Amino acid sequence: LVRQYGSLAFKFYLFSLVGVMCGLNGEQTLHGSSFMDQTNGSILMAGIHALLWVEQASPLAVYWGYVAKRASMLGIPFKDVGDLAIARLACLTRAKKEDVGVLMEEWMGLGSGDRDFFTQHLLSDGLRSPTFVLTYLPAYLDNAKKNRHVGLHRAFLVLVELLNIFGSNGYLDAARTSVITVSLQDVASFTSEVESSAVFMALPGHSTLS
């Protein structure tokens, strides 16, 4: 966008994005913005401030600069790769400050092998290393938090198993691109509706990638 139309068009895009975000939950009230409260407004401004560096910094620096800012806002340390993974998970799970303790507890509840594998995925960027981009991942994790039969711990375990299945089938090796997009829309919907922990945990064995 910046290369083709210039920085002014990019800034106008950011301005329009703010307008769209302010309109979320607009059906609830016409008095102000019910969505753009202090928490959501702070997150949005952190993203905009990060994107303003898009012409001066690398994509990696812009992205991880934003994640680092979010980590700071949530009180998450940002010293090693494990912290990077937790900070990214906090973004993906739409965590608030009061959610961080539970998030870290569920993360540490994974086995060390699962944590290492999951960390590798969370830090893969599609630029320096190939990776899967999982659309609807935030919705999947959000639905898992809300469903008492699932929870974050089970959601992490199932996600690790799904990523193992994707990786073991050689999709990344066969692809001509460093990024493969996988939609988790059906998985997210299932996670919202499932009423049995055992049925949820069996999900990877009945999943196909097409």
Side-chain angles (χ1 to χ4, degrees):
L1 179 63
V2 175
R3 290 174 182 170
Q4 187 171 0
Y5 298 106
S7 60
L8 185 60
F10 178 65
K11 291 175 181 178
F12 182 77
Y13 164 74
L14 293 180
F15 174 76
S16 65
L17 187 63
V18 172
V20 170
M21 298 291 283
C22 288
L24 295 177
N25 300 336
E27 74 281 358
Q28 296 180 5
T29 178
L30 295 177
H31 300 286
S33 172
S34 63
F35 176 80
M36 199 56 68
D37 54 17
Q38 182 173 354
T39 298
N40 291 329
S42 298
I43 294 171
L44 179 63
M45 290 306 298
I48 290 175
H49 286 151
L51 288 172
L52 290 177
W53 288 93
V54 73
E55 293 183 85
Q56 289 83 33
S58 70
L60 286 176
V62 171
Y63 177 75
W64 287 110
Y66 167 73
V67 175
K69 178 62 177 178
R70 291 282 286 117
S72 175
M73 293 167 64
L74 293 169
I76 298 173
F78 204 74
K79 299 177 181 177
D80 55 35
V81 292
D83 294 336
L84 292 178
I86 293 172
R88 186 161 183 233
L89 270 180
C91 295
L92 289 169
T93 58
R94 302 164 180 167
K96 298 179 180 179
K97 204 161 190 176
E98 58 267 26
D99 302 324
V100 172
V102 173
L103 175 63
M104 297 187 75
E105 182 179 338
E106 300 289 16
W107 173 256
M108 294 307 298
L110 294 174
S112 59
D114 285 342
R115 280 202 310 273
D116 291 344
F117 178 80
F118 203 0
T119 296
Q120 182 180 357
H121 169 74
L122 290 168
L123 301 187
S124 297
D125 51 50
L127 298 174
R128 298 175 302 179
S129 55
T131 191
F132 293 97
V133 172
L134 307 179
T135 61
Y136 292 91
L137 178 55
Y140 164 73
L141 294 172
D142 194 45
N143 290 343
K145 287 195 299 182
K146 294 176 180 176
N147 189 333
R148 64 185 179 88
H149 301 290
V150 182
L152 278 180
H153 182 71
R154 293 187 183 93
F156 290 163
L157 290 174
V158 165
L159 188 56
V160 167
E161 193 167 348
L162 287 173
L163 288 168
N164 265 309
I165 292 172
F166 298 160
S168 63
N169 286 336
Y171 292 110
L172 287 175
D173 295 331
R176 296 183 178 180
T177 176
S178 60
V179 173
I180 295 180
T181 301
V182 179
S183 174
L184 295 183
Q185 184 174 13
D186 291 341
V187 175
S189 297
F190 176 77
T191 302
S192 175
E193 299 167 1
V194 67
E195 297 181 354
S196 166
S197 300
V199 170
F200 175 76
M201 294 303 294
L203 186 154
H206 299 275
S207 300
T208 57
L209 186 62
S210 58

